[in-house]
């Protein structure tokens, strides 16, 4: 058993998933499509503000070969559904520029990781997908818009959690008490992730931000 900084903290989450290899494998397993990115941006902003609210993406990457944009967000608050729908839509709206026709040249995928258990029990799922494709009068989905949002709840893993997604959620959930039994994770990638979460590998500046996050968390509970 080793001590780690939990993945509920933004610093740790970004530290782990900003690695292109880890990001690519995580996105591939969650989305069920091949993903290969060369660079992952943290706190990404579009060069020009889109809409009325300026936003930042926790993790943002593009797979040039697949012509996809993949956004990964970490959230501990209760208002994440509306907030990240807005983030997702901005990723679409930003593409429509100039005098060309209405075209979305890249598919947008948004993955939201919720490390706080929602108070509403109906929202306590481990994996839920929202897509934009219409359903016809026969009840069949018409594949028009490929864009998707995927919501992940590590605290709610169950027998129906998709097999490729389950190990990621179990690892995230295992970290939340600040301890991990590293012998339970045999893959090289998961060992790399655990190493990135170890307290001894974080800088004083990173630990300062985490302390601020922890203090804010405590203040909300009083």
């Amino acid at each position: 058993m080793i001590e780690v900084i939990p993945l509920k903290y933004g610093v740790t989450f970004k530290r782990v998933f900003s690695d292109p290899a880890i990001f690519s494998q995580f996105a591939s397993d969650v989305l069920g499509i091949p993903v290969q990115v060369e660079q992952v941006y943290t706190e990404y902003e579009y060069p020009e503000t889109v809409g009325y609210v300026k936003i930042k993406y926790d993790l943002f990457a593009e797979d040039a070969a697949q012509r996809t944009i993949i956004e990964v967000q970490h959230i501990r608050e209760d208002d994440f559904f509306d907030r990240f729908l807005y983030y997702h839509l901005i990723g679409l709206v930003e593409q429509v520029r100039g005098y060309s026709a209405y075209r979305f040249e890249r598919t947008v995928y948004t993955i939201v990781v919720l490390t706080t258990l929602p108070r509403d029990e109906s929202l306590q799922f481990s994996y839920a997908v929202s897509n934009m494709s219409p359903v016809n009068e026969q009840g069949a989905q018409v594949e028009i818009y490929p864009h998707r949002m995927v919501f992940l709840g590590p605290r709610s893993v169950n027998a129906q959690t998709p097999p490729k997604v389950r190990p990621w959620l179990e690892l995230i959930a295992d970290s939340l008490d600040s301890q991990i039994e590293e012998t339970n994770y045999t893959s090289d990638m998961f060992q790399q992730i655990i190493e990135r979460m170890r307290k001894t590998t974080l800088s004083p500046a990173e630990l300062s931000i985490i302390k601020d996050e922890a203090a804010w968390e405590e203040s909300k509970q009083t």
Side-chain angles (χ1 to χ4, degrees):
M1 190 78 72
I2 62 171
E3 289 190 15
V4 296
I5 303 294
L7 283 168
K8 68 180 179 179
Y9 294 118
V11 169
T12 324
F13 189 86
K14 293 167 193 170
R15 196 172 201 267
V16 167
F17 289 101
S18 61
D19 179 277
I22 294 171
F23 184 101
S24 295
Q25 189 61 59
F26 175 67
S28 294
D29 290 340
V30 170
L31 299 173
I33 60 173
V35 173
Q36 188 64 52
V37 302
E38 296 182 359
Q39 185 171 5
V40 180
Y41 300 92
T42 61
E43 298 294 315
Y44 179 82
E45 300 177 66
Y46 285 110
E48 298 178 15
T49 301
V50 181
Y52 292 108
V53 180
K54 188 174 184 178
I55 63 173
K56 292 182 180 179
Y57 297 101
D58 285 348
L59 297 161
F60 180 98
E62 293 189 55
D63 184 331
Q66 300 291 332
R67 297 187 66 76
T68 60
I69 295 171
I70 302 165
E71 306 153 358
V72 178
Q73 302 284 351
H74 159 259
I75 186 66
R76 291 182 296 161
E77 309 294 341
D78 291 327
D79 64 343
F80 70 102
F81 284 111
D82 287 343
R83 187 191 312 183
F84 292 117
L85 174 60
Y86 182 80
Y87 282 24
H88 182 70
L89 294 174
I90 290 298
L92 290 165
V93 172
E94 191 276 336
Q95 297 183 50
V96 181
R97 294 175 175 272
Y99 300 100
S100 59
Y102 288 99
R103 281 200 175 85
F104 303 104
E105 299 292 343
R106 293 161 294 174
T107 300
V108 176
Y109 297 102
T110 300
I111 302 171
V112 180
V113 181
L114 177 66
T115 52
T116 299
L117 197 65
R119 297 187 186 91
D120 186 341
E121 292 186 2
S122 69
L123 303 179
Q124 294 178 10
F125 48 74
S126 68
Y127 178 88
V129 179
S130 174
N131 64 43
M132 306 180 72
S133 291
V135 176
N136 67 19
E137 69 275 17
Q138 281 82 39
Q141 183 170 282
V142 183
E143 300 294 340
I144 295 177
Y145 309 116
H147 318 285
R148 270 187 284 154
M149 299 183 71
V150 180
F151 297 92
L152 302 175
R155 293 180 182 268
S156 300
V157 173
N158 58 77
Q160 282 73 49
T161 304
K164 287 191 175 182
V165 178
R166 186 180 186 119
W168 292 98
L169 300 190
E170 289 177 338
L171 177 65
I172 294 170
D174 194 5
S175 79
L176 298 181
D177 64 354
S178 302
Q179 292 184 321
I180 277 186
E181 180 51 67
E182 73 274 23
T183 59
N184 290 339
Y185 305 95
T186 57
S187 77
D188 289 343
M189 181 167 287
F190 276 24
Q191 286 295 319
Q192 291 176 38
I193 291 172
I194 292 170
E195 185 61 26
R196 284 172 171 258
M197 287 191 286
R198 292 176 77 109
K199 287 184 178 180
T200 55
T201 65
L202 273 72
S203 70
E206 289 173 320
L207 287 172
S208 174
I209 296 171
I210 289 168
K211 282 183 174 293
D212 288 343
E213 286 192 66
W216 171 243
E217 191 69 20
E218 288 180 12
S219 70
K220 292 191 299 179
Q221 296 173 2
T222 59

